[in-house]
Amino acid sequence: MKIILFFIIYFFCFTTNSQDYSIAREWNEQVLEAIRNDFARPTVHARNLFHTSMAMYDIWAVFDENADTFFLGKSLGDYNCEFDGFYNDVLVDENRKKAISYAVYRIMLHRFSSSPGIDDIYNSIHDFMDELGYNKYYESTDYHNGDAAALGNYVAQKIIEFGLQDNSNEQNDYANLVYKPLNEPLNTDLSGNPNLSEPNHWQPLTVEEFIDQSGNYHPGGSPE
């Protein structure tokens, strides 16, 4: 139920008309464009979109006295995200915008650092930070003095830490640690499927070469 409310609140708070996009919409577009320039891996990018949305929602909630955070000051699984609260009641909209920008910017720098389209991705988010007038090199996470940029950096740091212990094996490029296919790979150059032993389970495919949905070339073999 809380996840459902999370997305309902998110879309009501952050979607605006096409003439005046919110900062959340703008950063969502940056994430989507980065996904288009990365390897086609839906589960990885669903996770990226969830984590950047989580960052933006929590920052929005910090500046709203009636909202509750989802991650900041809470425990998710075995991870506890410490948060002492944030106070800065001057230029609330601008501070919220700044904190969101630093948070998503830092998360994207980390999550797309090994992307095949890293140059295009980094150029785009660097240019967007410049367009917003923010210092890309400001890395403080000490939000206690009311610095919205530091709050954004802190949120990003905590989400990155959370992602490194959530069993996704992100630090090893999300390599599979558990699942083993029950069927031998199907050689797509040959007719028939004589080695299929478990028809209700997934079967790997052996191909000479292929290009993924993002246009990236992959050598032949049996992809995991």
Side-chain angles (χ1 to χ4, degrees):
M1 177 60 70
K2 191 163 187 177
I3 295 297
I4 296 173
L5 290 174
F6 174 99
F7 284 107
I8 291 174
I9 293 171
Y10 174 79
F11 282 111
F12 270 102
C13 294
F14 287 145
T15 49
T16 60
N17 66 66
S18 60
Q19 302 302 315
D20 185 25
Y21 292 147
S22 69
I23 193 62
R25 168 68 181 269
E26 296 281 5
W27 276 110
N28 267 338
E29 292 295 341
Q30 291 289 334
V31 178
L32 291 172
E33 184 61 22
I35 289 171
R36 295 183 190 103
N37 284 279
D38 194 31
F39 294 113
R41 39 189 184 176
T43 53
V44 170
H45 294 310
R47 176 175 176 269
N48 286 332
L49 284 165
F50 175 64
H51 286 176
T52 52
S53 296
M54 183 167 68
M56 291 190 285
Y57 171 78
D58 266 22
I59 290 169
W60 173 83
V62 164
F63 289 92
D64 188 285
E65 61 182 14
N66 297 315
D68 189 18
T69 59
F70 177 79
F71 180 64
L72 289 173
K74 303 294 192 336
S75 293
L76 289 183
D78 295 328
Y79 186 86
N80 178 56
C81 180
E82 296 181 358
F83 184 60
D84 301 325
F86 181 82
Y87 181 76
N88 187 330
D89 62 356
V90 179
L91 300 174
V92 169
D93 289 342
E94 178 54 39
N95 280 318
R96 179 185 284 147
K97 178 179 177 180
K98 179 182 287 187
I100 285 174
S101 296
Y102 275 89
V104 182
Y105 175 70
R106 296 287 172 212
I107 293 171
M108 291 186 69
L109 285 178
H110 174 77
R111 291 285 173 82
F112 294 95
S113 60
S114 60
S115 170
I118 184 173
D119 290 339
D120 290 337
I121 295 170
Y122 277 16
N123 286 339
S124 182
I125 61 176
H126 291 334
D127 288 346
F128 189 45
M129 287 291 281
D130 289 340
E131 179 184 329
L132 294 169
Y134 299 145
N135 179 5
K136 301 187 295 288
Y137 307 103
Y138 182 76
E139 299 181 349
S140 173
T141 58
D142 184 7
Y143 61 87
H144 296 92
N145 62 357
D147 187 341
L151 172 64
N153 287 336
Y154 179 78
V155 171
Q157 179 189 73
K158 290 302 175 182
I159 287 178
I160 290 169
E161 289 178 359
F162 171 74
L164 294 175
Q165 58 80 62
D166 67 355
N167 296 320
S168 66
N169 201 25
E170 177 190 328
Q171 52 269 56
N172 293 310
D173 200 28
Y174 307 96
N176 172 43
L177 296 175
V178 180
Y179 183 80
K180 300 295 182 184
L182 300 180
N183 290 299
E184 294 295 320
L186 170 65
N187 188 334
T188 58
D189 287 335
L190 303 177
S191 62
N193 194 1
N195 297 321
L196 181 66
S197 59
E198 298 288 342
N200 290 323
H201 291 263
W202 175 67
Q203 183 177 30
L205 302 178
T206 298
V207 295
E208 289 188 8
E209 60 184 9
F210 69 96
I211 297 175
D212 70 19
Q213 292 168 311
S214 298
N216 299 300
Y217 173 82
H218 296 262
S222 300
E224 294 185 11

